Each structure stands twice: as C-alpha cells, then as structure tokens.
C-alpha cells in the first residue's frame, strides 16, 4: 500500500490532480453549510460582473450569486460522475465476468450486445433514454450507466478470459470452490488493476456527459448544475462572459484533475507498463 | 479469399441492421408517453378524444407486434416511415441532413489527423522533453474540455470579440450565393464548428501517434534502417510513421458512430443543420420514426465504414490477413 502511494505521488500531475479533486470534494460537501440560502436565491441585480460588491464571481441572468451556483454545481457533477461510474462498473463486472468465465452463448450474446453499443451513436441513445425516462438526477445516472457499462464489460471479459485457465484458478476448482466464489475471491482481485484504470477515466467523462445533457435541457429541472448554468446563460454569453466561462472552466478543471488521478492510478497499478 | 470475406461481412452487416431495427424499436416503445401526449401538451387542449385520434392516425393504437411487423416490412423495402412532426418521408429528411454532417466530419477528421499526427511526431522525437510535455498537457486539456463549451468559447472569441467568422449556420441566410461565392461562404461557416469537433479528435490522434511512434522506435527494423545510415528524418517518416499509423486506422473505425451520428453538441451550438440537430429535435418531439431512422442509417453506415477500415488495414499492413 505504501509502495503504491509512493508510486502514485511520484507523478506531479497525479499530485496536482489529487489536490484539486480533494478541494472540489470539500467545496461540494460544505456548500450547504456555507451557502445555506441555496443556489436559487436572488441576491442582487442580474449580470453584475465579477468583483461587484459581495459578488466575487458576479451574478447570473436572474441575479443569483455565481459563487453559490458553482459550489452547488460541484455536488451534482461529482454525484453523477461517481454514482453512474459505480453502476456501470457493477453491471460491467457482473456481465463481463460471466461472459469471460463461462464463454459460450453468454459470451456471444454479450459481445454482440457491446457491438450494438459501438455502432449506435451512444449520445443519441443516451438522450433518448433520459428524455423518455423524464430528465432527473436518477435518469441521468441510470442513462449514463446504461450506455457506458459495455466498456467495462469488455475489459473484464478480456481479463477473465486470460485468467480463467491459470493454475491458481485450477487449484481453487480442485479444492471444490463454487464458481461464484472463484469469480469473486480468486479471479476478480487479480483483474482489478485494469478495471480501476478504465473506471477512473469514466468518472471524468461521465461528468462531461452530465454537463452536456444539462446543457441540452435534459438535466434535472430542480437542480442547478454546471451544465444547466451554461444553458441558462446562453443568451447572455454575448454581454456577460463570466456566466458561461466560469461554469465551463469548473467542469474542465474537475475533469482534468480526475484524468490526472486516473493516469496516476494506472501508472501506479501497472508498474510494468512504465516507459 | 478476399471476396468471400467481404461477402461474409456484408451478410453480418445485414444481420446487425436487423438487430438494430428490433432492439431500437422495442427500446423506444418501452418508454412511457408518446408523440400524442407531447402534441396534446403543446396544443393546450389535451382531452381524451384528441389524444385517441392522434394515436389512431399514427397507428399507435394497434398492438405492438402488429406495429412492429408493419414497420419492419416497410424498412425491408427501404421505407423508414413518415415523420410524425414534419409529415415528410424519414429517408428524405435524413438524406437532406446527412451531407451536412459528413461535410463537417470530413473537415474535422482531416484537420485532426494532420494536426494530431504532426503533434504526435513532434512529441515522440524526444520523449520527456518540454515539447513532449506540452503536447501531452495540451491533449489532456482537450480531453477535459466540454465540447459544447469549447464551441461557445470559439463563438465568443472569434465571432463576438474579434468578429472574424460567422457564429452559426452553414451559410449566410438570405444571401442566396451561388457557385464559388457559396462555397466560400460555407467554408467560412465550417471553420468554427469544424475546429471545435477537430480539437477533441486531434488530442486522441496526437496521443496515439506519440505512443505508437515511441514503441516503434525500439523495433529491430528501425535499428536496421538507422544502421544503414538513413537520415533520422527519413527513418521517422518512412519507417516509423508508416507503421505507427496502423492503430489510427482502427481508432478511426471506432469513432465512426460518433461521426456518422453527428455531433449533437457541436451541431447544436452552431445551429449546423445535420443529423445531430435532427436527432435532438426528434428526441424533444418524440418523433420516433425519425429517431429509429437515424439509428438504422448510422448503424449501416458505421458497419460499412468498419468494413472499409478493415480492408484499408489489410492493404496498409500486408501481414494482416482478412478472415
């Protein structure tokens, strides 16, 4: 574990990414404590520039404090990014492991299914899913998980396929272990590094996807997210740059930090892969 | 041998298309609500009789298997049905939009490939150098930036502040240019959306080229080439790059569905009249025939595109055998 941490923090980008990520988590968690009045409360005239009295980042089209909006937006981004990835990884592991371990018909079906996802424009499919389930936090998370799990399943399947005939698996079988136990206690721990690497990159892209959905008006109408802030200020972009620039920068910094963390994890977990 | 392979692949493409028709049809019908509820909501007088009439008009009151049979047999004859909203043939609508999307894609792909391969080569020349780090950081940035926001920033900087380029559309409305003047007009309009779309792919191409070139530089045939006394430039271009480009062909195939399906976001930001905006409008209006049509057409085109990349791959790399 110490070795792992040392390898991870040996990369400056990973240190930067981790620090920024921790800061964003802190902001997201403390937003309701610091800004108890909530992101929708109106605090002054609309479109005041950053630096106006009491408004560090200015106000938006409706005269709401941009700082509060940005802080609350972090909650949605992180929540959607992490929960949708966890769901996708869960589905991906279950199906990928079954396909890789048993092979045969299950495997064939799964591979055809992932191919379906590869030839269908996945963002269009996602829009259809979310719009038809009614846009909400839950439908966003479920939708993203449903279009991204095949990525995980492919990786898991590949790992299981190569691990299932190894000696330690044979040994477990000889000992009379049941399949489920072999899959979860013997093979899965050995297949974890690539799964972690794939899923760490998925959190960032899920955040991007959530913001894109919200930007298209397919986000939860009762929540303020970075994407919906940009959507709401589309008409004001020409006169008030901060209303669109700041939420966009927040998304970019968050995703960049997560990708740096992902890169660091990848590198620390696969020392053989080092250049 | 090759012919047999291509025939087998074409049959598989047809099977995939059938699967797409079946899966998307039922997926879309699973959802609660339909075009009738949306239209009733828009019209403001949502009484039962009105909704019932609409459903009867669109054939939505029939049992699902009957609806499916009707739809599938029409598709088999090349008829993708009629749009609920525009009352036009879906094939006609898609064919009208598809060229715009493909034009935008072609522009973006050329820019991305040229720029990305060049940046990747620069980065791979001296791994770990300042230039290499700059390319890596740049590509990480393009990966992390929300595409729609990047598009808006492009509009803000180049259309609003600098006023160099038009902010949206595919040509100037009402100008009625013809011939060369029209081409020039379209060329001006394509730059901003095209660059927005290109930058994302450019980042991927730069990273892929870099990794592949660094890997190749270690191979025996490269050492042999160097030992023969060929200049470093020639080694990089003739020997390393040619082999390093192979993964890019595969990658381009994987990206095909994003491209043919149209970038919903970029097209939306720039009001580009392509498949992406069409899909967005169809989702909003629950225009299922249009959505299904988009899925089927993209699936077919993507399968075809993948077949072409496979053949291209076997031409580029004689070691690969099809089959």
């Amino acid at each position: 574990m110490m070795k792992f941490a040392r390898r991870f923090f040996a990369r400056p980008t990973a240190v930067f990414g981790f620090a920024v990520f921790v800061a964003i988590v802190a902001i997201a968690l403390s937003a309701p404590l610091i800004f108890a009045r909530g992101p929708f409360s109106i605090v002054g005239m609309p479109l005041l520039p950053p630096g106006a009295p009491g408004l560090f980042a200015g106000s938006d089209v409706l005269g709401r404090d941009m700082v509060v909006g940005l802080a609350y937006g972090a909650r949605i981004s992180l929540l959607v990014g992490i929960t949708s990835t966890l769901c996708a990884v869960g589905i991906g592991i279950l199906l990928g492991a079954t396909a890789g371990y048993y092979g045969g018909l299950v495997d064939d079906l799964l591979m055809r299914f992932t191919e379906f996802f590869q030839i269908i424009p996945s963002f269009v499919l996602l829009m259809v899913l979310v719009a038809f389930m009614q846009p909400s936090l839950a439908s966003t998370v479920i939708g993203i998980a449903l279009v991204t799990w095949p990525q995980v399943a492919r990786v898991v399947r590949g790992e299981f396929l190569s691990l299932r005939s190894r000696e330690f698996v044979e040994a477990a079988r000889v000992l009379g272990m049941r399949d489920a136990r072999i899959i979860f206690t013997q093979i899965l721990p050995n297949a974890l590094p690539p799964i972690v690497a794939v899923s760490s990159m998925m959190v960032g892209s899920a955040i991007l996807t959530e913001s894109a959905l919200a930007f298209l008006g397919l986000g939860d109408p009762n929540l303020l997210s970075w994407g919906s802030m940009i959507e709401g200020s589309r008409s004001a972009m020409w006169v008030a740059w901060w209303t669109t620039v700041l939420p966009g920068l927040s998304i970019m910094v968050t995703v960049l930090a997560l990708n740096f963390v992902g890169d660091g994890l990848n590198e620390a977990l696969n020392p053989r892969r080092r250049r | 041998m090759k012919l047999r392979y291509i025939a087998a692949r074409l049959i598989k493409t047809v099977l995939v298309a059938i699967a797409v028709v079946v899966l998307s049809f039922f997926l879309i019908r699973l959802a609660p609500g339909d075009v009738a509820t949306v239209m009733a909501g828009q019209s403001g007088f949502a009484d039962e009789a009105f909704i019932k009439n609409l459903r009867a008009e669109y054939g939505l009151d029939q049992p699902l298997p009957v609806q499916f049979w009707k739809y599938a047999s029409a598709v088999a004859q090349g008829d993708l049905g009629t749009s609920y909203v525009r009352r036009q043939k879906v094939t006609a609508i898609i064919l009208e939009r598809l060229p715009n999307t493909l034009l935008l894609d072609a522009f973006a792909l050329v820019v991305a490939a040229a720029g990305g391969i060049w940046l990747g080569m620069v980065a791979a020349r001296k791994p770990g150098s300042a230039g290499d780090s700059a390319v890596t950081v740049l590509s990480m940035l393009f990966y992390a930036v929300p595409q729609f926001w990047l598009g808006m920033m492009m509009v803000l900087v180049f259309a609003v502040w600098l006023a160099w380029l038009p902010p949206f559309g595919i040509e100037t409305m009402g100008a009625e240019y013809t011939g060369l003047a029209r081409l020039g007009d379209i060329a001006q309009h394509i730059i901003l959306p095209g660059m927005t779309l290109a930058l994302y792919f450019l980042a991927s191409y730069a990273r892929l080229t870099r990794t592949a070139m660094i890997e190749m530089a270690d191979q025996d045939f490269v050492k042999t080439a160097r030992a023969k006394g060929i200049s470093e430039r020639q080694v990089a271009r003739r020997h390393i790059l040619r082999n390093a480009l192979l993964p890019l062909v595969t990658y381009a195939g994987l990206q095909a569905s994003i491209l043919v399906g149209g970038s919903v976001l970029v097209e939306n930001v720039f009001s580009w009249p392509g498949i992406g905006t069409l899909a967005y409008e169809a989702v909003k209006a629950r225009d299922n025939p249009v959505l299904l049509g988009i899925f089927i057409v993209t699936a077919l085109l993507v399968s075809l595109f993948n077949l072409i990349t496979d053949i291209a791959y076997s031409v580029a790399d004689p070691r690969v055998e099809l089959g």
Side-chain angles (χ1 to χ4, degrees):
Chain A
M1 197 62 209
M2 281 309 291
K3 245 188 183 163
F4 168 77
R6 212 177 306 134
R7 275 208 298 265
F8 177 81
F9 288 112
R11 294 166 68 84
T13 49
V15 176
F16 168 81
F18 187 73
V20 172
F21 178 64
V22 169
I24 294 167
V25 171
I27 291 171
L29 290 177
S30 59
L33 303 172
I34 307 174
F35 309 111
R37 58 183 190 268
F40 288 107
S41 64
I42 289 163
V43 293
M45 296 294 290
L47 302 180
L48 291 172
L55 292 168
F56 178 67
S59 64
D60 71 359
V61 270
L62 294 173
R64 300 174 295 199
D65 190 344
M66 288 285 295
V67 170
V68 182
L70 291 173
Y72 274 85
R75 296 168 70 81
I76 310 298
S77 283
L78 290 181
L79 189 66
V80 171
I82 293 168
T83 47
S84 64
T85 302
L86 284 178
C87 294
V89 170
I91 307 173
I93 288 181
L94 270 180
L95 292 176
T98 317
Y101 186 77
Y102 293 106
L105 185 65
V106 191
D107 191 29
D108 269 351
L109 274 177
L110 179 84
M111 290 327 280
R112 294 296 88 78
F113 207 68
T114 57
E115 271 169 25
F116 171 74
F117 277 84
Q118 271 180 357
I119 58 171
I120 288 285
S122 62
F123 191 76
V124 178
L125 181 63
L126 177 62
M127 283 198 309
V128 172
L129 288 173
V130 172
F132 288 13
M133 283 188 281
Q134 299 304 327
S136 71
L137 197 60
S139 67
T140 305
V141 170
I142 296 170
I144 295 177
L146 284 180
V147 296
T148 51
W149 69 263
Q151 281 168 259
V152 187
R154 284 183 88 94
V155 172
V156 176
R157 171 188 175 268
E159 286 296 309
F160 270 69
L161 215 54
S162 79
L163 288 172
R164 71 169 176 198
S165 47
R166 293 278 184 83
E167 278 166 9
F168 70 93
V169 178
E170 294 294 332
R173 219 171 268 144
V174 171
L175 281 173
M177 266 192 205
R178 292 233 302 263
D179 284 351
R181 212 171 141 207
I182 296 180
I183 288 176
F184 287 107
T185 67
Q186 303 299 313
I187 306 184
L188 191 57
N190 285 292
L192 273 184
I195 298 175
V196 172
V198 171
S199 45
S200 66
M201 292 308 222
M202 284 170 65
V203 179
S205 73
I207 290 177
L208 286 177
T209 309
E210 183 277 330
S211 72
L213 283 172
F215 171 74
L216 292 175
L218 293 168
D220 194 321
N222 304 312
L223 295 169
L224 197 66
S225 82
W226 290 333
S228 67
M229 286 173 84
I230 297 175
E231 191 241 340
S233 51
R234 244 179 127 164
S235 52
M237 183 182 79
W238 306 66
V239 290
W241 59 267
W242 58 92
T243 51
T244 44
V245 172
L246 297 178
L249 278 179
S250 311
I251 300 170
M252 194 167 101
V253 170
T254 309
V255 175
L256 192 64
L258 280 163
N259 287 351
F260 280 153
V261 170
D263 253 12
L265 281 178
N266 205 353
E267 212 56 32
L269 287 167
N270 299 307
R272 275 165 299 158
R273 230 189 47 125
R274 216 179 281 155
R275 291 148 295 171
Chain B
M1 205 54 211
K2 225 165 228 185
L3 271 180
R4 224 178 116 192
Y5 170 75
I6 293 171
R9 278 291 298 264
L10 283 176
I11 292 170
K12 199 184 153 202
T13 304
V14 173
L15 289 178
V16 166
I18 293 172
V20 167
V21 173
V22 178
L23 270 174
S24 344
F25 182 89
F26 287 102
L27 191 81
I28 281 179
R29 291 307 152 98
L30 274 181
D34 55 25
V35 66
T37 51
V38 171
M39 282 191 165
Q42 282 167 352
S43 66
F45 49 94
D47 68 332
E48 282 295 314
F50 178 76
I51 294 180
K52 220 172 159 184
N53 269 333
L54 271 179
R55 290 222 170 100
E57 194 190 328
Y58 294 133
L60 293 170
D61 52 348
Q62 290 161 355
L64 206 52
V66 177
Q67 287 184 42
F68 177 72
W69 179 246
K70 278 192 172 162
Y71 183 73
S73 42
V75 169
Q77 294 164 35
D79 178 8
L80 294 172
T82 308
S83 158
Y84 291 155
V85 183
R86 300 149 149 255
R87 320 253 165 165
Q88 268 175 294
K89 281 284 174 199
V90 172
T91 19
I93 301 175
I94 291 181
L95 285 180
E96 182 197 321
R97 300 288 195 106
L98 196 60
N100 298 340
T101 289
L102 294 180
L103 180 69
L104 187 63
D105 291 346
F107 178 90
L109 268 188
V110 170
V111 171
I117 293 171
W118 181 71
L119 278 178
M121 281 177 71
V122 169
R125 208 174 288 156
K126 273 187 201 156
S129 67
D132 181 26
S133 309
V135 172
T136 308
V137 168
L138 210 66
S139 58
M140 289 297 269
L141 274 180
F142 288 141
Y143 265 139
V145 70
Q147 215 177 29
F148 64 91
W149 182 75
L150 181 66
M152 292 172 83
M153 293 302 107
M154 292 268 201
V155 171
L156 195 61
V157 174
F158 296 106
V160 180
W161 290 346
L162 297 172
W164 284 353
L165 292 162
F168 53 75
I170 188 170
E171 49 191 329
T172 312
M173 288 253 237
E176 307 286 345
Y177 290 124
T178 48
L180 271 182
R182 182 162 181 241
L183 275 183
D185 189 38
I186 295 178
Q188 279 199 358
H189 280 82
I190 208 172
I191 294 178
L192 290 184
M195 287 302 290
T196 308
L197 196 57
L199 285 178
Y200 173 80
F201 293 108
L202 192 145
S204 326
Y205 288 158
R207 278 184 82 137
L208 277 172
T209 309
R210 177 186 174 277
T211 322
M213 289 209 48
I214 290 174
E215 254 169 42
M216 285 298 158
D218 253 7
Q219 307 262 324
D220 285 340
F221 71 90
V222 176
K223 287 179 191 153
T224 313
R226 283 213 180 95
K228 282 198 297 192
I230 299 173
S231 78
E232 200 55 31
R233 251 180 107 102
Q234 293 265 321
V235 173
R237 294 237 171 112
R238 286 250 180 94
H239 293 82
I240 305 183
L241 185 63
R242 218 185 133 179
N243 285 286
L245 288 185
L246 289 174
L248 284 184
V249 177
T250 315
Y251 182 73
L254 286 176
Q255 297 294 336
S257 73
I258 303 180
L259 287 171
V260 186
S263 169
V264 178
L265 294 159
V266 173
E267 289 187 6
N268 182 293
V269 169
F270 292 96
S271 309
W272 189 264
I275 295 288
T277 38
L278 182 68
Y280 175 70
E281 290 156 14
V283 167
K284 285 271 160 160
R286 294 287 170 99
D287 201 343
N288 289 347
V290 172
L291 280 172
L292 282 171
I294 291 175
F295 281 144
I296 293 166
V297 170
T298 40
L300 280 175
L301 285 176
V302 171
S303 307
L304 217 62
F305 188 79
N306 282 336
L307 177 61
I308 294 169
T309 44
D310 278 1
I311 295 173
Y313 204 107
S314 79
V315 172
D317 187 351
R319 287 168 301 181
V320 175
E321 253 184 57
L322 295 173

